[in-house]
Amino acid sequence: MTPDKELIARFKQGGSQGEKAFTELVRRYQEKVYWVCRRMLKSHDDADDVAQNVFIKVHNGLSGFNEEAEFFTWIYRIAVNETINFIRAQKVRSAAPIDDLINEPSDDAERPDESMEREEQRRLIQEAIDTLPEKQKVVFMLRYYDELAYEEIAEMLGTSVGGLKANYFHAFKKIEEYLKLRLKQH
Amino acid sequence: MIEKYLPDLPDYIKGNVPKSVAVEIEKLIATNAKFRAEYDAMRSVMQRIEMASEVMQSEMEQGVPPFYFANFADKVEQRIAAAQRTPMERVFAGLRRLLEPKGRFQLAGICAAALIVAMLFNGVLRLDFHIASGDIAALKRAYPEAQDEKNPTLATRVATVQFAAGFMPEVSLSSLNDEEEIAVLNKLKEELPTADDGDFNILSDDDVKSLLPTL
């Protein structure tokens, strides 16, 4: 497999070989970028839109990319920032997606009890994650799901490893508190 | 001591801490009740998240269309190429898209709409709007008998002429039936001035034949 640095160098030379090198980089990181966006966004369409924007930004900025830095960290940072910007823009446009406002009857009634319980758990956890503050949520997603090292996340977000560890721990505590609260309500 | 290792609990449970840290945490779990309670609570919530995450991930994966990742790079390339095009290239790209099988229906629709608009425009341009009240009055003066309600046939004929006058010539001719046309022409023939009246000349048959093709 051609190293990222070589592909970036080819891209910087320009021409059709440069574009081919860029396509190779897209193929290499498209799934990772998509899932970073998708886990923080509510729909595939939103994640698709944001993931495409990420690669367009990468294309526009790759000529000035410092090859000493990790390409992977750089592209993740763009993905996280694009996703956060998208969420902020969505919040401004509407408080909740229309799908959430329409309480369509689900097919839960036909599911076995176990499935219903799992579905209920999933819904509760999703709600709990959604209530996390923006930074905690990003740290939680990148560490828990993408299993990135604290050092990588720190480079992406420009914060200290100690601060990130605290953010990660508090994210779990907030989820725990939310679940306790919801169980009391039931 | 507890505060130092609390933030490491999630990573310890997932097995992501160095051995030295794991040893310290295990000591605290064994000796400190408060730390042990924190550990149990954290493990419980992480298990619930783990279970829910499997369902969430599976649901999200189901939402990804088939061949999505196979086509993703092409979509990105198309968007980049579109952003780099000059205005002229964008126009040509738009035309090319219309000529593709998917765009042909759009092209047909655009052509049909343009044709309808052109026909309407042409029709409006050719409409004769010269139905002034003066024209009607002149006709009534020309056929004073038309006011006579006792002569309904003539009144009908005049009304026909008035009606026909509202249309452009070719329409008015086609809107009268044969009988009405003959009646109107006969009446006009009676009323038209002759050469003896002064300013007007009646065209001979030869003049009419030579003029008609031109008209």
Side-chain angles (χ1 to χ4, degrees):
Chain A
M1 193 171 76
T2 319
D4 289 353
K5 281 184 182 174
E6 201 179 313
L7 290 172
I8 294 163
R10 270 192 228 164
F11 174 81
K12 285 182 178 178
Q13 282 168 3
S16 63
Q17 287 300 312
E19 289 306 315
K20 273 186 189 173
F22 178 74
T23 305
E24 179 60 34
L25 285 170
V26 174
R27 295 217 166 98
R28 192 170 290 179
Y29 289 103
Q30 59 186 18
E31 288 200 40
K32 281 182 180 172
V33 167
Y34 171 83
W35 286 113
V36 166
C37 305
R38 179 67 186 90
R39 286 193 191 103
M40 284 194 267
L41 298 169
K42 288 190 188 288
S43 75
H44 162 76
D45 289 341
D46 288 349
D48 178 38
D49 200 23
V50 175
Q52 285 186 39
N53 288 343
V54 169
F55 284 104
I56 289 166
K57 286 216 163 169
V58 168
H59 188 272
N60 294 340
L62 197 54
S63 304
F65 174 69
N66 174 15
E67 284 171 53
E68 296 306 309
E70 276 290 332
F71 177 69
F72 158 79
T73 312
W74 182 61
I75 199 169
Y76 254 71
R77 181 163 57 215
I78 295 173
V80 168
N81 288 337
E82 278 295 301
T83 310
I84 289 171
N85 289 341
F86 185 88
I87 293 168
R88 283 177 187 165
Q90 289 279 83
K91 273 182 190 165
V92 171
R93 259 179 268 151
S94 64
I98 195 82
D99 300 16
D100 291 359
L101 301 173
I102 303 165
N103 291 319
E104 283 184 12
S106 68
D107 57 352
D108 281 357
E110 292 168 18
R111 291 185 185 181
D113 286 351
E114 196 183 329
S115 279
M116 277 180 72
E117 203 181 307
R118 276 163 70 99
E119 177 56 29
E120 177 66 9
Q121 282 285 329
R122 183 206 65 78
R123 197 178 56 78
L124 275 176
I125 299 288
Q126 185 65 63
E127 280 176 13
I129 294 170
D130 286 343
T131 60
L132 293 177
E134 198 172 272
K135 195 176 176 188
Q136 271 180 22
K137 192 173 171 179
V138 171
V139 175
F140 177 79
M141 294 291 183
L142 294 178
R143 181 70 182 154
Y144 187 80
Y145 291 111
D146 295 298
E147 298 185 331
L148 297 187
Y150 284 118
E151 288 75 15
E152 287 170 330
I153 304 172
E155 200 187 323
M156 259 178 235
L157 305 179
T159 43
S160 68
V161 169
L164 288 177
K165 273 190 187 179
N167 266 313
Y168 189 49
F169 174 76
H170 286 299
F172 282 109
K173 294 303 283 178
K174 283 228 170 80
I175 293 171
E176 185 191 335
E177 281 165 24
Y178 183 86
L179 295 177
K180 272 185 192 165
L181 191 77
R182 289 301 301 267
L183 283 173
K184 268 186 198 170
Q185 285 172 354
H186 286 292
Chain B
M1 191 68 172
I2 295 176
E3 276 69 33
K4 187 184 171 189
Y5 289 104
L6 270 179
D8 286 309
L9 270 179
D11 292 315
Y12 169 76
I13 292 165
K14 279 196 101 180
N16 291 332
V17 289
K19 202 170 178 186
S20 58
V21 176
V23 168
E24 291 300 325
I25 287 174
E26 277 156 21
K27 263 192 220 167
L28 280 169
I29 291 169
T31 57
N32 190 308
K34 198 180 165 195
F35 194 87
R36 168 92 203 177
E38 286 283 358
Y39 165 75
D40 287 339
M42 183 62 74
R43 202 177 57 171
S44 166
V45 77
M46 284 182 79
Q47 276 173 352
R48 293 177 75 174
I49 292 171
E50 187 68 38
M51 276 170 64
S53 297
E54 282 172 23
V55 183
M56 285 194 284
Q57 183 65 26
S58 140
E59 278 182 3
M60 284 191 288
E61 279 170 11
Q62 281 169 17
V64 179
F67 307 110
Y68 170 70
F69 290 113
N71 300 322
F72 184 83
D74 293 337
K75 283 198 282 182
V76 172
E77 274 173 30
Q78 280 170 14
R79 278 187 62 183
I80 291 168
Q84 288 174 339
R85 281 185 199 129
T86 61
M88 190 56 84
E89 282 172 335
R90 278 180 207 171
V91 170
F92 282 123
L95 288 174
R96 260 204 309 275
R97 265 202 306 279
L98 287 175
L99 293 172
E100 285 170 2
K102 206 175 165 184
R104 280 180 199 156
F105 294 109
Q106 287 176 328
L107 183 64
I110 291 167
C111 290
L115 193 65
I116 290 167
V117 169
M119 283 168 72
L120 282 171
F121 197 67
N122 185 46
V124 168
L125 282 180
R126 296 182 63 169
L127 270 180
D128 187 353
F129 289 108
H130 296 88
I131 321 166
S133 56
D135 295 340
I136 305 295
L139 274 165
K140 282 183 178 170
R141 274 200 306 279
Y143 309 108
E145 321 83 290
Q147 309 297 329
D148 185 1
E149 289 179 359
K150 288 174 188 168
N151 191 353
T153 314
L154 188 58
T156 308
R157 283 181 188 172
V158 172
T160 307
V161 172
Q162 286 178 347
F163 178 74
F167 290 93
M168 48 188 167
E170 58 270 37
V171 176
S172 59
L173 272 178
S174 61
S175 66
L176 299 176
N177 63 33
D178 291 348
E179 201 183 322
E180 286 169 332
E181 271 176 24
I182 290 162
V184 168
L185 286 172
N186 285 338
K187 188 67 191 169
L188 288 172
K189 208 173 172 183
E190 283 169 30
E191 298 295 325
L192 274 172
T194 63
D196 302 335
D197 293 338
D199 293 331
F200 298 97
N201 286 321
I202 301 297
L203 297 174
S204 67
D205 287 347
D206 289 340
D207 290 338
V208 170
K209 277 177 189 168
S210 64
L211 276 171
L212 270 176
T214 315
L215 290 168

